Amino acid sequence: MNDKLNGYDNDLYDVVIAGAGAAGLNAGLVLARARRRIAILDGGAPRNAPAEHMHGFLSRDGMPPAALLEAGRAELAGYGVEPIAARVDEITRESGDGDAPAFTVRLAGGASLRARRVLAATGLRDELPDIPGLREGWGKDVLHCPYCHGYEVRDEPIGVLATHPLAVHQALLVRQWSPDVALFTHEQDFSPEDRERLAARGIDVVEGEVKRVVADDGRLRGVEMADGRVVERAALFVPSTMIPNDGPFAALGWERDEQGRLRTDAMGRTTVPGVSAAGNVADAHVQVIMAAAQGSAAAMALNADLVEEDVAAALGATDGATVGAVR
């Protein structure tokens, strides 16, 4: 058991935050400044760990992702909050005397925490095609987001691997950064309309199955086809399958829409009373700056809900059951 969890069992927190990335840490900062009793749980596997730099974050453009988290932890330490290295295994809704939400958060290793509210900020994981070399280059020159990495490979020969329905869209998007773009069909076929759109933008369509990604000294050199051809490329964009890390929360019965986005209101409240969400666990497409902003918004809403619950308790009321859910 993590030493920092000793003696924490059965303590009641205002908010337990699962996830210590940009969304979770920013939520923690807002709640700590609101003088709430919080616990931040760090599963230790940030999605952007392989990336050398992050971009599109005003005042933080080019900062290594780990440096942002280190700075966030230092700021939280100034308020007496230190994330706990722990992974959430299960979250259950308590049934007790009051109607207000309360949860038991069980952690890997056996410890548990109790919380009036919980915030999911657990991010997502990328599932890549089973092609040799992809995982080794992931976040370096095997990339997923042109807005995150496109500028750094501008005007270079770029490839897009068609392993996802959005491959054509991504190839057309990547064309903004380079005039030399090749779309590898791999196992997909494209409609005549899509091929016309690609041709109109000067995007080459490379037919055939991709065998592996070729690298020299850890840097991408090209894409080897099943027939032995090597198409030289300096970077390869791969639309990954993005899987939310939401297992313990999904078990509570929250809802997603047809596009896989979590149903939340503008402040991150989910369809489960007392449970909020921020960052990539809720929407796979938000960048770091957006995740941080969502964490801030969710924290303010959580504090406001708790204030109302505290007032109701002070008045002897028991109508807190409807606080904190999307309706």
Side-chain angles (χ1 to χ4, degrees), residues 155-219:
D155 297 324
E156 297 284 352
I158 298 174
V160 176
L161 183 59
T163 57
H164 191 280
L166 291 176
V168 170
H169 165 78
Q170 187 159 46
L172 293 167
L173 186 63
V174 168
R175 176 61 180 80
Q176 178 65 27
W177 282 268
S178 173
D180 186 357
V181 177
L183 176 59
F184 295 87
T185 63
H186 192 46
E187 298 173 347
Q188 286 196 32
D189 194 12
F190 307 129
S191 69
E193 293 78 11
D194 280 338
R195 289 179 180 271
E196 184 178 2
R197 296 172 73 213
L198 293 164
R201 290 290 283 154
I203 296 171
D204 294 329
V205 177
V206 181
E207 308 285 354
E209 182 181 351
V210 171
K211 180 179 178 181
R212 67 185 180 105
V213 173
V214 182
D216 291 334
D217 297 324
R219 304 306 299 184

Side-chain angles (χ1 to χ4, degrees), residues 218-249:
R219 304 306 299 184
L220 181 70
R221 180 168 67 83
V223 176
E224 182 178 345
M225 310 301 292
D227 61 12
R229 289 176 294 155
V230 175
V231 181
E232 292 189 0
R233 297 287 95 180
L236 181 66
F237 282 86
V238 182
S240 67
T241 300
M242 297 178 285
I243 309 297
N245 296 320
D246 66 351
F249 295 91

Side-chain angles (χ1 to χ4, degrees), residues 54 79 143 145 192 202 219 227 251 254 273 277 296 298 301:
M54 64 177 193
Y79 296 95
L143 310 167
C145 173
R219 304 306 299 184
D227 61 12
W254 67 15
S296 177

Side-chain angles (χ1 to χ4, degrees), residues 7-152:
Y8 279 59
D9 289 0
N10 298 317
D11 284 352
L12 181 64
Y13 288 85
D14 290 319
V15 183
V16 166
I17 301 169
L25 292 180
N26 213 58
L29 182 63
V30 172
L31 288 166
R33 288 179 52 80
R35 307 188 72 182
R36 288 295 178 184
R37 188 164 190 268
I38 63 172
I40 303 176
L41 307 176
D42 183 1
R47 179 199 184 194
N48 60 1
E52 296 175 352
H53 305 97
M54 64 177 193
H55 296 280
F57 196 139
L58 189 64
S59 82
R60 299 292 183 268
D61 190 67
M63 174 183 280
L68 176 71
L69 300 185
E70 182 180 355
R73 286 170 172 268
E75 291 174 357
L76 278 162
Y79 296 95
V81 177
E82 183 178 355
I84 301 166
R87 177 174 54 82
V88 178
D89 268 357
E90 182 184 29
I91 300 174
T92 55
R93 174 80 179 261
E94 295 183 5
S95 57
D97 295 334
D99 291 329
F103 302 88
T104 298
V105 182
R106 294 183 176 85
L107 311 177
S112 63
L113 307 177
R114 298 180 62 244
R116 298 170 66 187
R117 300 288 189 277
V118 292
L119 172 63
T122 44
L124 59 80
R125 63 188 183 277
D126 295 287
E127 284 192 355
L128 297 177
D130 187 18
I131 296 175
L134 285 186
R135 179 60 67 180
E136 291 80 357
W138 187 243
K140 301 177 180 68
D141 40 32
V142 177
L143 310 167
H144 74 286
C145 173
Y147 294 104
C148 302
H149 306 289
Y151 190 82
E152 283 60 50

